[in-house]
Amino acid sequence: MNISLYTLSEVLAISGEAGDFEVQVKQHPRYVDMGKCIACGLCMEKCPKKVDDEFNVSISQRKAAYIKYGQTVPLKYAIDAENCIYLTKGKCRACEKFCPTNAIDFEDTERLMRIRVGALILTPGSAGFNPSATEFYGYGQIPDIVTSLEYERLLSASGPNMGHLIKPSDGREPRKIAWLQCIGSRNTNRYDRGYCSSVCCMYAIKQAVVTAEHLSGGEKPEETIFYTDIRTHGKEFERYYESAKEKGVRFVKARVHTMPGKNNVGVNLSYVTEDGRHVLEEVDMAVLSIGLEPPKDGVQLASRLDFKLNHYQFVETDSFSPVTSSRDGIYIAGTFHFPKDIPQAVTEASCAADEAAKLLAPARGSLTREKTYPAERDVSDEPPRVGVFVCSCGINIANVVDVKELTAFAKTLPRVVYVENNLFTCSTDTQNLIAEKISEHHLNRIVVAACTPRTHEPLFQDTMREAGFNPYLVEMANIRNQNAWVHQGDPKKATEKAKDQVRMAVAKAVLNTSLTRLRVPVVQKALVVGGGLSGMTAALDFAERGFETILVEAQERLGGNAWLLNRTWRGEDIRPVLENLIETVEKHPRIQVCKNTRLLTCSGSVGNFASDINVDGETRQISYGAVVFATGAREYQPSEYLFGEDPRVATQLQFDRKLREDKTLAASAKDVVFIQCVGSREPERPYCSRICCTHSILSAIQLKETNPALNVYILNRDVRTYGLWEDLYRKARELGVVFIRYYREKKPRVFTEKEGLFVEVWDSVIRHLIRLPADHVVLASAVIPNENASLMEAFKYSVDEDGFLNEAHPKLRPVDMAVDGLFVAGLCHYPKPIDEGMVQAKAAVSRAGVILSQKSMHLDAVKSYVTEKCDGCALCLDVCPYKALSLVTVSNNGREEKQIKVDVALCKGCGICQATCPKEGILVHGFTLEQLKAQVSAVLEESEQ
């Protein structure tokens, strides 16, 4: 309702200023009337003109009448004017002849529009590097050399081969595949692509892991990834890397040149190993892991809108305003900023929305429209008519579960009157189709056999509402997460299990009834836990958006770890910005700063929380509608490398302090040795701490710029200067910093002798043990989360295996937590640099603002309720984890009796009370014992047959 979508459009010009822009937009003709198009596909079917399909990276063809892909939004066809036979030659018009709704409009013309807006958010994305100009890669000459994007489409269920992986040369399945990294990234010799594209290592590993799922016969493929540095720096990425190695993916540190195979089939690889051996190796396919580069029209867009680009033609920003362009009111998100993965891009989008919301705060709500739904139909007196929609989820489900067999089985179930299998049930067109089928077949219950209701149930509930039914008449069978993903090795049993899941879902759906959601008031106040840079950023953003904010900090001063840092990676001084931010926060009229404070309790639910806090020994109660956790992390204190035994051995933060306090340190030293991955990427801490490589390189550059004669060594396992940080890595090498690679199995040794302090390390290139004198040894220690056990207990949130706070979904909801109303930002989520921490803080405010901007909000209807069988025994009272139950006295026929009362605002519908009650005195809406028994009976009846 509040989004106007202009497709086939481009921005021509902009005038005005922040808060009051006029944007000139040109919309190119679609030649299809969107109001009439029903996406039946007849125009595409009858169109005789085939052209390269850009969505499938031109490895297949589409028609001139087309949609880009099956989940296109809006799902409306278009005519490709450059290739349409009629528009180019004046003949044909087959699409017009066969269109059943007369939607084809060859008289369509381009439109010029002027749109008034207060802010702009630019997300034009990026382009993939084209390796065809680099002859030694053989791309475009050797059929079995493909780019990573082409390989991704070959793996896709919606790709040219429907997910069946075959070699382009002869159509056979490949059994030996190689990935070549850093193609078009980290290269300043031939191309101005000195940056790291950040995502290539992870997508290559992912492709290698999932390839086996796309091959027939069960034979394990031989897979090799040739790399310079493996950069698995994101949350859970290092575990995925180690898992890939355990699954047999081979990793070789080498650069490769390619030569054609015999008869132009396969690929011969020529490379030199770390120990100097020259190797010739034949593979069936080679995948070029191409990097990301600025969008082709990025320079033109920057010129039209008057903002700055950096030397790589990505958008120029600074560390403390990470999504703000050089022009006020224009914000950036995604890979137009610089290459990044999906979670970071989604987080940046929320951050940009927050910046725009702050700018537009005075006009908030003045143009909003509320979505309306048709009147809800009462189905209580109707016999159940169930529709089942089975999702293939591309190949996520269909590659394991036989969805055709499952669809046929669903048709045999009682009360089921319609069944359909869809490629992607969550797509816009399928949502429309479900609404149509509900009307056509008079359905009053639906079952969706797809993925997890945790992420997708609200979507299908909304579809039911749009069709005029209560949203709780939807039931989901999770045949992806709870089946296909965990039973990949046994498709037959997975299919049988899916049948059980659908049978149970139908049995419960038959008994589903309409439920009513309650509306509760929202406390339009925010709580921020943690007063570091991320926490203060969040608090200030809340306040500037007009929300009262409580900032709770456990220490006696604000600032956290930022006090221990000198400069950002861009060279900006941190301390002046920090001091100014602290002063602004402490003086802001909407921010209540509580230092030396502990959070003791939490009660309530999203929109209406209450907590006891202890401030300087005094207990107070606060209320708030949403909370952002920014509780930070700390530097690991090593137990190796003579740390704590020799004062010349220091951690990074300790060495930063030495550089601040001793201005003569660099000039007086002769040798400084940095050791990376101290406490990180170890069995007890199997994650990358993300910021350590860049931190060491920044210090090394500072040392070399101060004293060029100083010998600086960085002992590393992989140098992980992802994104634009790669410039620093190159600069350090140019200044003479020496990088020596070591392996975990052969760690450096730090020892003292009469002559002084020394570091001994095995150099994997020269194959020799070398001994380095050291005036200072700097340990790049792991970043470890702060202790948050009491907060976990109070707020019922979860942490990962390493103790970092969990997000609700790593890609779809990267700053939301699983408990509604809770959000996360900064180091407590995962190690990250200052700019990423600030982005996450602003993103958390953006997401929390959705709650706080409402005066009241709906609660989920799945809540406990007391029945007439309750005798007040209070067993449920003792087990309720959310303190949602209380024991009250009620009058019954003149007698006073004890009975349980439910606070629906606190109840989460977990069902522990129902499971504990011996007399069915308390049940849960939507999960009554009758419904659960029906599900169990459905399975038992089948097993007895």
Side-chain angles (χ1 to χ4, degrees):
M1 287 295 293
N2 294 306
I3 298 175
S4 298
L5 185 62
Y6 299 97
T7 56
L8 296 170
S9 300
E10 60 177 314
V11 174
L12 296 181
I14 183 174
S15 59
E17 58 186 17
D20 187 14
F21 288 120
E22 183 177 86
V23 183
Q24 187 176 342
V25 176
K26 179 167 73 174
Q27 187 172 47
H28 299 280
R30 177 181 289 269
Y31 301 108
V32 174
D33 187 328
M34 291 177 63
K36 295 180 179 179
C37 178
I38 58 172
C40 65
L42 274 175
C43 58
M44 178 177 67
E45 181 183 329
K46 301 300 182 180
C47 177
K49 180 67 174 179
K50 292 183 178 181
V51 299
D52 286 343
D53 184 354
E54 61 272 20
F55 181 73
N56 277 326
V57 210
S58 299
I59 57 177
S60 65
Q61 291 191 312
R62 62 164 172 83
K63 299 292 188 67
Y66 73 108
I67 54 171
K68 284 218 169 188
Y69 54 97
Q71 291 175 289
T72 295
V73 177
L75 192 68
K76 305 293 181 181
Y77 278 76
I79 306 296
D80 182 351
E82 293 182 2
N83 292 289
C84 172
I85 296 175
Y86 173 72
L87 291 173
T88 56
K89 299 181 180 179
K91 301 177 181 179
C92 189
R93 300 180 81 125
C95 55
E96 184 181 49
K97 177 180 178 181
F98 289 98
C99 178
T101 60
N102 298 316
I104 306 300
D105 178 13
F106 284 118
E107 303 304 316
D108 196 7
T109 58
E110 69 179 30
R111 299 172 180 83
L112 288 178
M113 297 172 285
R114 295 185 182 274
I115 305 170
R116 288 193 65 195
V117 299
L120 281 81
I121 298 175
L122 307 182
T123 60
S126 55
F129 174 74
N130 184 351
S132 58
T134 311
E135 65 283 351
F136 57 79
Y137 289 140
Y139 177 73
Q141 305 162 28
I142 305 168
D144 292 327
I145 297 176
V146 298
T147 69
S148 47
L149 283 179
E150 291 169 344
Y151 193 80
E152 190 75 25
R153 297 310 302 154
L154 289 172
L155 290 176
S156 175
S158 61
N161 304 323
M162 302 299 289
H164 182 206
L165 183 61
I166 57 175
K167 292 189 292 178
S169 62
D170 58 11
R172 296 182 179 181
E173 285 192 341
R175 289 294 166 182
K176 194 169 183 180
I177 307 166
W179 280 261
L180 281 59
Q181 300 307 105
C182 299
I183 308 301
S185 294
R186 306 181 67 185
N187 188 329
T188 56
N189 294 327
R190 283 175 161 263
Y191 313 103
D192 185 22
R193 298 289 181 272
Y195 55 86
C196 165
S197 286
S198 301
V199 298
C200 319
C201 287
M202 274 305 295
Y203 73 57
I205 295 171
K206 180 210 72 172
Q207 287 177 345
V209 169
V210 304
T211 288
E213 302 170 12
H214 294 257
L215 299 176
S216 60
E219 185 182 345
K220 202 171 184 179
E222 295 180 46
E223 299 169 306
T224 305
I225 295 178
F226 294 92
Y227 69 97
T228 306
D229 295 282
I230 287 293
R231 292 183 168 170
T232 47
H233 49 269
K235 192 173 186 180
E236 300 294 335
F237 287 7
E238 186 73 11
R239 276 190 171 85
Y240 196 75
Y241 170 36
E242 292 297 327
S243 172
K245 289 195 285 188
E246 291 172 4
K247 291 176 180 176
V249 179
R250 184 169 65 120
F251 291 83
V252 177
K253 185 174 173 63
R255 298 287 289 182
V256 175
H257 289 268
T258 62
M259 296 180 294
K262 296 177 182 178
N263 301 319
N264 220 24
V265 174
V267 185
N268 285 335
L269 307 178
S270 174
Y271 63 94
V272 177
T273 62
E274 280 191 287
D275 59 5
R277 291 182 298 111
H278 180 240
V279 179
L280 289 173
E281 187 172 335
E282 186 175 341
V283 298
D284 296 323
M285 285 184 72
V287 183
L288 306 180
S289 293
I290 57 173
L292 305 177
E293 57 185 23
K296 291 179 172 53
D297 56 356
V299 173
Q300 188 180 45
L301 187 61
S303 175
R304 290 175 177 176
L305 274 58
D306 191 25
F307 59 87
K308 293 179 182 177
L309 302 177
N310 65 21
H311 58 294
Y312 291 126
Q313 307 305 315
F314 293 111
V315 181
E316 184 71 67
T317 64
D318 65 53
S319 298
F320 303 107
S321 302
V323 300
T324 303
S325 75
S326 58
R327 182 170 182 179
D328 289 345
I330 297 181
Y331 308 104
I332 313 299
T335 54
F336 191 27
H337 188 200
F338 60 81
K340 56 180 63 69
D341 57 20
I342 291 173
Q344 182 64 15
V346 172
T347 302
E348 275 193 355
S350 289
C351 174
D354 172 64
E355 295 286 23
K358 280 193 302 180
L359 176 65
L360 305 178
R364 184 171 62 220
S366 60
L367 297 176
T368 57
R369 293 171 292 173
E370 189 172 346
K371 185 174 181 178
T372 58
Y373 296 91
E376 193 174 289
R377 196 170 105 196
D378 182 6
V379 300
S380 57
D381 294 329
E382 298 179 12
R385 293 178 60 83
V386 181
V388 179
F389 297 87
V390 178
C391 182
S392 295
C393 198
I395 60 161
N396 274 302
I397 294 172
N399 205 42
V400 179
V401 174
D402 188 334
V403 292
K404 290 184 179 178
E405 184 178 335
L406 180 61
T407 301
F409 166 78
K411 292 177 180 178
T412 67
L413 296 173
R415 306 288 191 173
V416 172
V417 297
Y418 182 77
V419 182
E420 183 166 292
N421 171 225
N422 314 106
L423 184 62
F424 292 102
T425 308
C426 60
S427 65
T428 302
D429 61 316
T430 306
Q431 296 302 298
N432 294 334
L433 180 144
I434 290 174
E436 291 172 7
K437 297 304 179 184
I438 288 173
S439 175
E440 180 182 344
H441 296 277
H442 308 292
L443 307 179
N444 53 28
R445 311 283 195 287
I446 67 168
V447 169
V448 180
C451 53
T452 171
R454 178 179 168 189
T455 55
H456 284 69
E457 187 175 54
L459 175 68
F460 299 113
Q461 288 181 333
D462 196 64
T463 301
M464 282 296 277
R465 292 188 69 191
E466 289 177 342
F469 289 87
N470 187 275
Y472 293 93
L473 298 175
V474 174
E475 190 64 31
M476 290 191 70
N478 188 351
I479 63 172
R480 186 186 71 173
N481 307 51
Q482 296 175 351
N483 191 338
W485 280 2
V486 291
H487 301 300
Q488 294 178 8
D490 200 339
K492 185 175 180 180
K493 288 186 177 179
T495 302
E496 291 305 309
K497 178 178 177 179
K499 291 178 182 178
D500 285 340
Q501 289 177 287
V502 171
R503 184 190 296 111
M504 293 170 69
V506 169
K508 182 172 181 290
V510 166
L511 298 176
N512 280 354
T513 58
S514 298
L515 303 180
T516 302
R517 295 192 300 167
L518 300 177
R519 199 164 185 92
V520 295
V522 171
V523 178
Q524 293 180 300
K525 183 184 290 187
L527 170 67
V528 178
V529 185
L533 208 53
S534 295
M536 288 191 293
T537 298
L540 187 58
D541 269 38
F542 274 127
E544 290 183 350
R545 290 182 66 172
F547 300 117
E548 297 291 326
T549 305
I550 304 166
L551 176 59
V552 171
E553 168 55 45
Q555 303 302 317
E556 294 183 357
R557 70 171 179 174
L558 301 177
N561 288 311
W563 285 111
L564 307 175
L565 303 174
N566 295 337
R567 291 182 294 177
T568 70
W569 69 273
R570 291 184 173 93
E572 302 124 324
D573 287 334
I574 293 172
R575 186 152 294 189
V577 175
L578 178 64
E579 291 171 345
N580 181 65
L581 180 59
I582 291 173
E583 183 180 8
T584 304
V585 166
E586 291 187 329
K587 290 182 177 179
H588 202 290
R590 292 195 191 95
I591 301 176
Q592 177 187 347
V593 178
C594 302
K595 292 179 282 189
N596 195 26
T597 299
R598 295 287 189 277
L599 263 168
L600 303 177
T601 63
C602 174
S603 60
S605 60
V606 55
N608 197 337
F609 293 106
S611 286
D612 290 329
I613 62 173
N614 185 286
V615 186
D616 292 325
E618 179 185 342
T619 301
R620 305 178 195 167
Q621 188 171 75
I622 57 174
S623 58
Y624 48 94
V627 55
V628 174
F629 288 98
T631 52
R634 65 189 187 277
E635 188 179 51
Y636 166 69
Q637 299 300 294
S639 58
E640 52 190 330
Y641 300 126
L642 298 185
F643 180 77
E645 301 175 33
D646 192 308
R648 293 167 292 184
V649 180
T651 65
Q652 286 179 323
L653 292 181
Q654 290 172 344
F655 190 67
D656 280 359
R657 183 174 180 177
K658 288 183 179 182
L659 288 175
R660 279 197 307 272
E661 296 177 351
D662 184 359
K663 304 300 182 184
T664 66
L665 186 150
S668 61
K670 293 182 180 178
D671 303 278
V672 178
V673 180
F674 293 83
I675 302 177
Q676 302 305 110
C677 297
V678 179
S680 290
R681 303 179 67 191
E682 297 283 356
E684 64 273 18
R685 233 168 272 102
Y687 60 88
C688 168
S689 287
R690 194 177 180 95
I691 55 179
C692 322
C693 286
T694 303
H695 195 143
S696 293
I697 288 172
L698 279 170
S699 298
I701 289 173
Q702 183 181 349
L703 292 170
K704 291 292 286 185
E705 287 181 335
T706 305
N707 181 6
L710 177 63
N711 296 315
V712 180
Y713 307 91
I714 297 182
L715 314 185
N716 65 88
R717 289 171 59 189
D718 291 287
V719 178
R720 293 185 168 177
T721 46
Y722 62 93
L724 303 181
W725 285 355
E726 185 69 12
D727 284 353
L728 298 172
Y729 182 24
R730 186 171 55 257
K731 181 178 180 179
R733 298 198 307 273
E734 291 170 352
L735 289 171
V737 177
V738 177
F739 291 81
I740 301 173
R741 180 180 171 87
Y742 76 89
Y743 291 90
R744 191 173 72 193
E745 298 75 22
K746 292 185 177 182
K747 288 185 179 181
R749 184 170 73 94
V750 179
F751 59 96
T752 57
E753 290 184 352
K754 273 186 187 179
E755 297 84 358
L757 184 66
F758 295 90
V759 179
E760 200 171 68
V761 62
W762 173 263
D763 191 316
S764 59
V765 176
I766 65 174
R767 315 298 292 176
H768 199 277
L769 193 66
I770 60 176
R771 176 171 156 147
L772 304 171
D775 298 303
H776 301 276
V777 173
V778 186
L779 306 180
S781 290
V783 178
I784 60 176
N786 287 326
E787 179 57 51
N788 288 311
S790 61
L791 290 176
M792 284 177 59
E793 175 64 25
F795 287 89
K796 309 301 179 187
Y797 65 69
S798 64
V799 297
D800 66 10
E801 295 175 73
D802 304 310
F804 294 105
L805 274 64
N806 275 330
E807 64 275 40
H809 190 285
K811 291 180 172 62
L812 302 179
R813 298 171 67 196
V815 298
D816 300 51
M817 297 174 71
V819 179
D820 290 342
L822 273 58
F823 305 88
V824 62
L827 294 176
C828 63
H829 170 251
Y830 190 67
K832 52 182 63 70
I834 282 175
D835 50 357
E836 291 184 22
M838 296 185 78
V839 162
Q840 199 173 25
K842 291 171 182 288
V845 171
S846 178
R847 297 289 297 147
V850 175
I851 297 169
L852 299 182
S853 60
Q854 306 174 73
K855 292 183 178 179
S856 63
M857 63 183 298
H858 277 118
L859 293 178
D860 186 11
V862 178
K863 304 287 184 182
S864 298
Y865 66 98
V866 178
T867 74
E868 70 282 355
K869 296 181 180 180
C870 175
D871 63 3
C873 71
L875 288 176
C876 58
L877 195 70
D878 298 329
V879 298
C880 177
Y882 302 103
K883 311 300 180 187
L885 306 179
S886 59
L887 191 63
V888 297
T889 302
V890 296
S891 178
N892 185 8
N893 295 324
R895 292 188 307 166
E896 289 191 347
E897 297 179 351
K898 296 290 187 180
Q899 195 176 75
I900 292 295
K901 181 181 179 182
V902 180
D903 185 335
V904 292
L906 298 181
C907 178
K908 301 292 184 184
C910 68
I912 295 177
C913 56
Q914 176 172 293
T916 304
C917 181
K919 297 183 178 180
E920 298 184 21
I922 189 167
L923 300 175
V924 179
H925 285 299
F927 293 88
T928 64
L929 288 178
E930 185 184 8
Q931 289 172 306
L932 299 179
K933 287 175 184 176
Q935 290 185 288
V936 173
S937 297
V939 175
L940 293 179
E941 287 172 10
E942 175 63 21
S943 63
E944 290 170 0
Q945 292 177 4

